[in-house]
Amino acid sequence: MPGSGRVRRDPRAERTQPAAAASPSGRLRRDPRAARGAGPSAPAATDGAVRPLPRVVIDDPACLILAVPDLEDGRLNSHDRDLLGAARFLAEASRGAVVVLAPAACSEDFGRAGADRLLPADLPGGYSPERKTAAVISAIESLEPRHVLFAETATGGGDIARRVAAQLGERLAPRVARLSPSEAASRGDGGRSEFLRPPPRLLLIAAEAADPPSGATWEARLLPMIPASRQPALIEDRGIAAGDPNAVPLHEADFIVSAGNGVSDWQIFHEVAAALGAAEGGSRVVCDAGLLPRDRQVGASGSLVEPRCYLAFGIAGAPQHLQGIVRCERVLAVNTDLHAEMVKRADLAVIADAQAVMPALAKLAKDYGCGH
């Protein structure tokens, strides 16, 4: 403000700063937006020009590490990127290469995600565990990888890995939270115990067990496609059954509409969440006031969430709240304060009163049939 001597910060300028900065201990601190986004960004030179990322090509790897991401809806989520980070770590420790198994129709940029090779498979969309298991076993027989990594998820990698282990007669390491070339640490006993073992061939990687690959782009050389399995499918995917988004635990929600102290019209807030088919969340202030149930609180003292989209209405962005949304893929903020911490965290911000934006958004969602 004029005459106050206070320097006003421009969040747009701050967003252009490097994603990592050194802490006093010398360890790099990562920007979660950069780490959990669509991949590494090209570095900016001192003259302001954007330099292309270095390209890594491995022609004669000493071994292969096979990564099997879930690719829900054909997209790499944050857990998949953690999985690829673990695969890259093992590959680089042994001068190997990472092979990613993915449906042939998938259009993700696997080179930016850390893949040296891309192994396409003729897989149907949706939930098809028998055919994906057959594709993984075909890949193992063909490539003879040193390790095969899956994401530890209930209906994705966790299901497929256990089917593969049963068919091959091998033991796997589940819930791997720490990984090195000589040791895999698995959580057990409700997280109170840790089991250590040499890494077996089949590994189930927990979320945040490794950092996503960054700082380069890899070749993602295309390998011959694995043909479709002729084994008849015993499970038929009928799609996702309609249900109440608020019946899902908040940490499992795929889309969250969240309210803070800037929301006063609660009827329209509930309407916009319903129109978008989103789960409702809120800041600690809102839940303390009894405006939303306690199990809807987002933050370090509430639920740590990781939806694909987090839409925040009137939330200033207290540190404990921002801790709860670190793993969100996309954050949208509606706030009257350009300099709010939530606005700085957001991938897209609307500087306006939530009471004006919510009814307009609810109308658009209903007109276009969102959430149905």
Side-chain angles (χ1 to χ4, degrees), residues 21 25 37 82 84 124 170 192 200 204 219 228 230 233 242 267 277 285 292 310 314 316 329 353 358 361 368:
S25 66
D82 295 342
L84 290 173
E170 297 185 21
R192 293 186 294 271
L204 274 162
E219 185 182 10
R230 296 181 180 179
Q267 180 178 347
V285 171
L292 284 176
Y310 186 80
E329 288 191 30
D353 188 347
M358 289 190 296
L361 183 57
Y368 286 92

Side-chain angles (χ1 to χ4, degrees), residues 71 100-106 118-139 222-231 233:
L71 290 167
V100 174
L101 176 68
C106 185
L118 178 60
L119 179 61
D122 186 1
L123 294 172
Y127 181 64
S128 54
E130 297 103 342
R131 293 186 180 180
K132 191 166 184 178
T133 298
V136 173
I137 291 176
S138 294
L222 195 63
L223 299 177
M225 184 169 68
I226 295 177
S229 171
R230 296 181 180 179
Q231 178 181 351

Side-chain angles (χ1 to χ4, degrees), residues 54-78:
R55 190 164 187 263
V56 178
V57 176
I58 301 176
D59 287 322
D60 188 21
C63 67
L64 296 176
I65 307 297
L66 179 62
V68 187
D70 282 354
L71 290 167
E72 186 179 353
D73 296 334
R75 299 170 63 249
L76 288 166
N77 60 24
S78 59

Side-chain angles (χ1 to χ4, degrees), residues 32 36 70 72 75-82 151-153 205-209 249-256 297-299 303-311 321-331 345:
R36 302 293 169 186
D70 282 354
E72 186 179 353
R75 299 170 63 249
L76 288 166
N77 60 24
S78 59
H79 198 160
D80 287 336
R81 294 183 188 278
D82 295 342
E152 178 68 275
T153 53
I205 306 299
E208 298 188 306
L250 205 54
H251 67 273
E252 296 180 9
D254 198 51
F255 185 8
I256 298 174
Q297 180 183 329
V298 175
S303 293
L304 306 181
V305 300
E306 47 182 301
R308 292 187 181 179
C309 182
Y310 186 80
L311 173 54
H321 192 90
L322 295 180
Q323 290 172 27
I325 62 172
V326 164
R327 289 178 62 86
C328 297
E329 288 191 30
R330 293 290 180 266
V331 175
R345 167 64 179 89

Side-chain angles (χ1 to χ4, degrees), residues 129-196:
E130 297 103 342
R131 293 186 180 180
K132 191 166 184 178
T133 298
V136 173
I137 291 176
S138 294
I140 292 173
E141 292 173 347
S142 172
L143 302 176
E144 298 183 351
R146 179 172 295 181
H147 297 291
V148 186
L149 278 61
F150 305 83
E152 178 68 275
T153 53
T155 58
D159 180 12
I160 304 302
R162 289 170 174 86
R163 290 171 181 265
V164 169
Q167 291 196 30
L168 296 179
E170 297 185 21
R171 299 191 68 176
L172 54 75
R175 301 179 297 279
V176 175
R178 287 191 297 105
L179 183 62
S180 74
S182 60
E183 186 176 80
S186 298
R187 296 278 173 81
D189 192 23
R192 293 186 294 271
S193 302
E194 198 170 62
F195 301 94
L196 306 178

